[in-house]
Amino acid sequence: MQNLGINVLFEGTTLQRLFEGLMMTAGIAFISIIIGSFLGIGMGLLRTSKSRIVQFICRLYLEVFRIIPILVWLFIVYFGVTNALDIHLDGEVVAVIVFSLWGAAEMGDIVRGALESLPKHQVESGKAIGLSFWGLYRYVLIPQAVRRMLPGAINLSTRMVKTTSLVVMIGVIDVVKVGQQIIERSIIKVPTASFWVYGLIFILYFIICYPLSKLSKKLEAKWEN
Amino acid sequence: MKNIKKILAVFFSAIILVGIVAGCGSKATTDTKKEQAAKSSIEEIKQRGKIKIGVFSDKPPFGFVDANGKNQGFDVFIAKRFAKDLLGDESKVEFVLVEAASRVEFLQANKVDLILANFTVTDERKQKVDFANPYMKVALGVVSPSGAPITSVDQLKGKKLIVNKGTTAETFFTKNYPDIELLKYDQNTEAFEALKDKRGVALAHDNTLLFAWARENTGYTVGVASLGSLDTIAPAVKKGDKELLAWVNTELETLGKENFIHKAYDATLKPAYGESIDPETVVVEGGIVK
């Protein structure tokens, strides 16, 4: 009777709904990763600033996002901020905002780490040959830092993809939630449904995350020399 | 050179500052909005042409999504009737899919007009939302494997009991039996899986849900059928929304005259519970518990 379990996946519009859920997961994750990366690079550059105030503010921003769980952030923004500002934001929009800000905080730390790990003589040599501030970063520091930050950045990206499953708490229907709906609907009649549904979800997450690791390997190899 | 860094610094500080100010400085607008909402909640719904009702999407037979992606279940059945009587068409309802742990927040933040998500009335929740009269009653039950049945709460001492976060079961056991170790899960799916994996000796939840589950999962029995005080399940509106609250109560009264909740029971709950459960143990007609 094992066949019965897998049939759950092909009933009605089940597969289509799982696919829609997957698009939601992937959409939120990738938009946030892109926004987060850009903001994060800015954050990283700021973190290397000499100004104590700038350092303090950036540090505070990072710690605030690191210490407060993402679930709490989702609640604060979805229920708290929208209510306080008297605006309506869809759950999807809130998810992108929260994940982007979180990505920016963590990415900022990765960029900072990469920049600070570069030997001091790189900066000094760059200055010695008369490069401007932007030139120094554009031709000397960033190309080297990007290679060093790549593993951390990819790790953060896959973590963001997986953390998106928290968005169900603010009413967004992602791939995991669709899976749970299917399992709950059929669990009484088809107890093995969970195996098949979670099995498929595993494969779907793999399809999203594996290209990221592949990409990072490729880039690392490309920048080897 | 240095200027660029400074500009960036100012820019980012500004973003953070705006965030902080926005977070604290807008109490005034909220208050005026509350008054408006209290004044004409039904007008607002009629203008919108749709009533937003919060239901479950994964708690059959109360609220779930069928194979074609349509909302179904006991709560959904009643919700559609509410929409029909308020707006003239049962399709004029927008189902917002809520989670057990965030039902109160959905109401407080105006994300829904009404919650019909198997919402048990408790004193603690009454402080945060306004409950209408009940349409269902429920007690806690404890389900366990037939091979090692738990028939009284005393048997649970020193053992692991599975509960759902944010449910009445969690509150009841935390308050009355602090020496029972609780395993807490967010989702029903996870909780029942945990019971099947024997991560706990039993699972406590609303007895109605357990009847349905035990009926279909052979090898499990509801050893404790009724525990704690009899609770009622009612629609909930945002705190202070007296107009909608009054409408729901009148509506329940009218529906009671035609035994509508019994019809809802026959259509949605009976197939799940079987003939052995007396509908009178579950259904509340006209908003009055007998």
Side-chain angles (χ1 to χ4, degrees):
Chain A
M1 296 306 257
Q2 277 296 312
N3 292 346
L4 272 178
I6 199 165
N7 282 344
V8 164
L9 297 176
F10 302 105
E11 272 175 29
T13 55
T14 301
L15 271 183
Q16 188 198 328
R17 281 169 52 223
L18 271 171
F19 184 72
E20 283 166 9
L22 179 73
M23 286 296 106
M24 183 61 80
T25 299
I28 290 174
F30 285 121
I31 295 173
S32 307
I33 289 168
I34 290 166
I35 299 176
S37 299
F38 277 107
L39 291 178
I41 290 169
M43 278 295 280
L45 295 178
L46 282 180
R47 288 290 300 278
T48 58
S49 153
K50 298 258 165 8
S51 158
R52 287 195 161 230
I53 301 164
V54 174
Q55 277 199 7
F56 174 76
I57 292 173
C58 292
R59 187 68 210 233
L60 185 75
Y61 176 75
L62 170 68
E63 293 300 335
V64 158
F65 265 89
R66 223 178 232 170
I67 292 166
I68 302 178
I70 295 303
L71 180 60
V72 176
W73 274 116
L74 289 172
F75 270 56
I76 292 175
V77 177
Y78 186 67
F79 296 119
V81 173
T82 55
N83 210 18
L85 293 183
D86 198 6
I87 46 170
H88 178 77
L89 287 177
D90 283 335
E92 293 86 342
V93 177
V94 171
V96 168
I97 293 173
V98 169
F99 281 97
S100 299
L101 292 179
W102 173 46
E106 297 270 5
M107 192 64 86
D109 208 34
I110 294 169
V111 173
R112 176 197 60 87
L115 285 173
E116 283 181 355
S117 74
L118 296 174
K120 222 184 175 137
H121 62 74
Q122 294 287 334
V123 181
E124 285 160 1
S125 319
K127 280 184 179 159
I129 59 167
L131 284 173
S132 66
F133 173 84
W134 280 121
L136 184 63
Y137 275 91
R138 168 73 186 80
Y139 298 107
V140 182
L141 298 181
I142 289 182
Q144 297 184 72
V146 162
R147 209 186 324 163
R148 296 189 181 199
M149 65 185 241
L150 205 58
I154 296 295
N155 186 16
L156 175 66
S157 302
T158 50
R159 239 168 78 215
M160 282 169 78
V161 171
K162 286 177 282 185
T163 314
T164 52
S165 62
L166 289 176
V167 298
V168 297
M169 298 306 291
I170 56 168
V172 179
I173 307 300
D174 78 327
V175 68
V176 176
K177 186 70 203 174
V178 175
Q180 273 159 353
Q181 290 172 356
I182 296 161
I183 293 168
E184 289 291 347
R185 167 174 54 75
S186 34
I187 197 164
I188 284 176
K189 299 213 166 64
V190 192
T192 56
S194 55
F195 173 77
W196 293 104
V197 172
Y198 280 133
L200 182 64
I201 291 175
F202 164 78
I203 295 169
L204 293 177
Y205 268 102
F206 182 80
I207 291 172
I208 300 182
C209 290
Y210 188 67
L212 285 175
S213 345
K214 260 286 187 238
L215 180 73
S216 101
K217 269 222 176 95
K218 243 196 176 152
L219 289 178
E220 273 185 75
K222 195 177 153 195
W223 293 334
E224 194 69 50
N225 28 27
Chain B
M1 297 202 284
K2 274 273 150 67
N3 282 345
I4 296 165
K5 271 197 178 185
K6 264 187 194 153
I7 290 166
L8 273 175
V10 169
F11 177 69
F12 275 90
S13 322
I15 289 180
I16 293 165
L17 214 83
V18 166
I20 293 167
V21 172
C24 318
S26 44
K27 266 257 141 36
T29 45
T30 331
D31 288 342
T32 44
K33 195 192 166 195
K34 256 179 208 156
E35 272 167 36
Q36 278 172 357
K39 232 185 276 170
S40 60
S41 58
I42 288 189
E43 275 310 304
E44 202 186 305
I45 293 167
K46 281 187 174 158
Q47 264 175 15
R48 202 192 306 138
K50 269 201 167 168
I51 180 165
K52 288 187 279 183
I53 300 186
V55 294
F56 280 137
S57 67
D58 59 354
K59 309 268 188 294
F62 302 106
F64 63 101
V65 179
D66 70 9
N68 294 313
K70 296 251 167 16
N71 291 87
Q72 300 290 354
F74 185 65
D75 293 334
V76 173
F77 196 91
I78 297 170
K80 281 180 181 164
R81 178 62 192 256
F82 279 9
K84 191 182 166 196
D85 291 345
L86 183 65
L87 299 167
D89 191 342
E90 68 168 32
S91 66
K92 288 189 175 165
V93 51
E94 183 188 334
F95 289 116
V96 179
L97 308 181
V98 299
E99 293 293 309
S102 50
R103 283 174 293 191
V104 170
E105 284 79 4
F106 270 92
L107 273 179
Q108 285 177 334
N110 290 317
K111 302 289 178 189
V112 295
D113 299 311
L114 186 72
I115 288 272
L116 265 175
N118 207 17
F119 212 4
T120 313
V121 182
T122 64
D123 287 336
E124 203 183 322
R125 285 176 185 159
K126 270 184 199 162
Q127 291 167 8
K128 296 176 190 153
V129 302
D130 280 343
F131 283 103
N133 291 331
Y135 60 96
M136 221 183 117
K137 54 192 170 186
V138 72
L140 289 178
V142 178
V143 69
S144 46
S146 307
I150 300 289
T151 49
S152 84
V153 180
D154 297 329
Q155 278 172 269
L156 286 169
K157 295 225 165 84
K159 289 175 184 158
K160 281 183 184 164
L161 177 70
I162 299 162
V163 294
N164 274 52
K165 275 181 207 163
T167 59
T168 346
E170 184 194 355
T171 329
F172 177 81
F173 281 97
T174 314
K175 203 184 276 176
N176 300 319
Y177 298 95
D179 46 346
I180 295 175
E181 195 185 333
L182 298 180
L183 271 180
K184 299 174 186 178
Y185 293 92
D186 273 316
Q187 312 286 348
N188 279 0
T189 332
E190 296 164 354
F192 283 119
E193 285 297 304
L195 179 66
K196 286 185 169 174
D197 289 348
K198 301 206 165 28
R199 271 179 264 169
V201 293
L203 182 150
H205 211 298
D206 293 344
N207 58 359
T208 46
L209 178 72
L210 297 183
F211 291 148
W213 190 80
R215 180 171 179 258
E216 299 287 344
N217 288 266
T218 43
Y220 290 90
T221 157
V222 184
V224 184
S226 181
L227 183 71
S229 56
L230 187 75
D231 280 317
T232 52
I233 286 170
V237 299
K238 188 179 176 171
K239 190 106 194 134
D241 190 351
K242 293 205 173 64
E243 195 187 357
L244 188 60
L245 189 73
W247 182 86
V248 171
N249 283 336
T250 331
E251 171 75 1
L252 282 172
E253 233 171 84
T254 323
L255 294 180
K257 282 174 195 143
E258 53 167 293
N259 260 355
F260 178 78
I261 308 291
H262 279 83
K263 275 181 212 155
Y265 180 92
D266 289 341
T268 56
L269 296 186
K270 205 174 181 179
Y273 292 170
E275 303 286 339
S276 62
I277 309 283
D278 178 14
E280 300 305 321
T281 59
V282 179
V283 166
V284 173
E285 203 67 77
I288 301 150
V289 186
K290 281 171 196 135

